[in-house]
Amino acid sequence: MIIDQHTALYGVVGYPVGHSLSPVMHNTVFSASGLNAVYLAFETKDIGGCLEGMKALGIRGMSVTIPHKSAVIPLLDDVDDLAKKIGAVNTIVNDDNGLVGYNTDAFGALRALEDKIEISGITCLIIGAGGAARAIGFIMKERGVHLCIANRSDHKGEALARSLKCPFVPLKDMGEIHAELIIQTTPVGMYPRDGHCIVPKEVLKKEMVVMDIVYNPIETKLLTLARTQGCLTIDGLQMFIHQGAEQFRLWTGLEAPVTTMTKAVEKVLKKSA
Ligand code: ATR
């Protein structure tokens, strides 16, 4: 691809962004789709300045990551209803409507799950009560899933459970919940502390589906344990790829080549392992 006067610019804004896999994923997609576009990483604490820059320079779209996902909301021209409910934006589209915010994390988790199972009416234990748990919780609730939150700190777990109108249990009591699906949303098990697992082995039953949103490593300790117990497992890479595919669709109106994206990100993860 030749970068020229027509090249469209996209990026990710966050602090830090040094380990982000979004540039590899999106540049692969732009190139595979024959688009004259590039995607860069912008490491800044100045989210207001970033938005002014987007408008002034005509940057077409931005992924938003830690610590800006909530702080960006009041600065945008408009915010999608689901992102408003979740209280976090991870995608900005810059077009004739100004800067509009969306949350594709929720969509990514949903697609990763629905690729493998029918979720309506099932009982799901979400472990963790941070931004990712919130995004997943709201979209699952909309799909008729019976939720329960387990979290290390009671106050944060209870607050999310109240918002979702569902029960809360402390981590030590997670085994008492007869969940058909467990979704692990904390950083436990993430590289370099990848020997850790937040779910005791005896909680994992063979009829369960277990999803981990950690994607480095792709197979976390939790997923290895779940697999050996006979559970169906869903790795975090699926959610990451599908949230990226939805960003691409919002920016370009095109369907993303999901298999190509997955291969590109897997290659980088395997190289760094
Ligand atoms: P994100 O927005 O990416 O979901 P976050 O808002 O920092 O991340 O939330 C992280 C979640 O993981 C929280 O629920 C946190 O539990 P606390 O509410 O007790 O802080 C949980 N978490 C982080 N590290 C953990 C650990 N070592 N053990 C158990 N839970 C942990």
Side-chain angles (χ1 to χ4, degrees):
M1 191 200 99
I2 295 169
I3 293 175
D4 62 13
Q5 70 276 31
H6 303 297
T7 303
L9 180 57
Y10 296 82
V12 53
V13 59
Y15 193 94
V17 288
H19 294 288
S20 175
L21 294 171
S22 293
V24 165
M25 175 171 67
H26 283 297
N27 285 314
T28 301
V29 183
F30 287 148
S31 153
S33 308
L35 296 178
N36 186 356
V38 293
Y39 183 108
L40 301 177
F42 300 107
E43 184 161 286
T44 177
K45 291 180 180 171
D46 180 8
I47 187 66
C50 169
L51 298 192
E52 279 176 32
M54 269 187 90
K55 279 194 165 171
L57 301 176
I59 296 175
R60 305 272 185 87
M62 197 69 81
S63 307
V64 182
T65 187
I66 290 167
H68 304 312
K69 285 185 180 186
S70 299
V72 74
I73 290 181
L75 308 175
L76 294 166
D77 296 311
D78 199 3
V79 178
D80 166 73
D81 282 345
L82 178 64
K84 246 186 239 164
K85 250 195 231 170
I86 294 168
V89 156
N90 79 326
T91 309
I92 303 171
V93 176
N94 183 13
D95 62 15
D96 297 342
N97 301 315
L99 301 181
V100 184
Y102 298 85
N103 188 307
T104 71
D105 287 331
F107 175 88
L110 191 68
R111 274 299 301 272
L113 283 163
E114 287 181 337
D115 270 358
K116 297 259 174 96
I117 55 166
E118 166 65 49
I119 59 166
S120 174
I122 69 170
T123 303
C124 170
L125 176 68
I126 296 181
I127 301 174
R134 205 176 156 79
I136 293 170
F138 272 99
I139 204 156
M140 301 278 279
K141 195 176 165 63
E142 282 188 358
R143 295 299 194 279
V145 172
H146 304 292
L147 296 169
C148 180
I149 304 294
N151 193 52
R152 177 178 61 180
S153 71
D154 290 358
H155 68 282
K156 216 168 156 185
E158 281 167 352
L160 178 59
R162 254 196 313 278
S163 311
L164 293 167
K165 300 188 176 55
C166 75
F168 164 76
V169 288
L171 283 183
K172 66 176 176 36
D173 298 332
M174 70 169 88
E176 291 168 17
I177 306 301
H178 299 288
E180 294 159 273
L181 168 64
I182 294 182
I183 304 181
Q184 193 308 106
T185 72
T186 78
V188 176
M190 191 189 292
Y191 178 84
R193 303 187 65 223
D194 47 351
H196 296 261
C197 175
I198 200 165
V199 183
K201 192 174 170 188
E202 55 279 11
V203 171
L204 300 165
K205 307 279 181 327
K206 83 166 187 309
E207 60 280 7
M208 282 179 173
V209 179
V210 179
M211 171 162 151
D212 198 335
I213 73 160
V214 170
Y215 59 82
N216 188 10
I218 298 173
E219 180 163 295
T220 58
K221 179 93 185 283
L222 167 61
L223 294 187
T224 306
L225 271 179
R227 201 165 40 78
T228 54
Q229 295 291 96
C231 307
L232 175 66
T233 59
I234 303 173
D235 65 55
L237 187 58
Q238 295 309 306
M239 171 172 163
F240 178 68
I241 296 294
H242 284 298
Q243 66 77 31
E246 179 64 3
Q247 294 186 317
F248 180 77
R249 197 190 62 75
L250 287 167
W251 290 331
T252 65
L254 303 172
E255 285 307 312
V258 169
T259 311
T260 309
M261 293 163 86
T262 308
K263 279 190 189 144
V265 175
E266 260 173 6
K267 198 166 150 191
V268 176
L269 282 172
K270 282 182 183 151
K271 218 187 273 173
S272 67

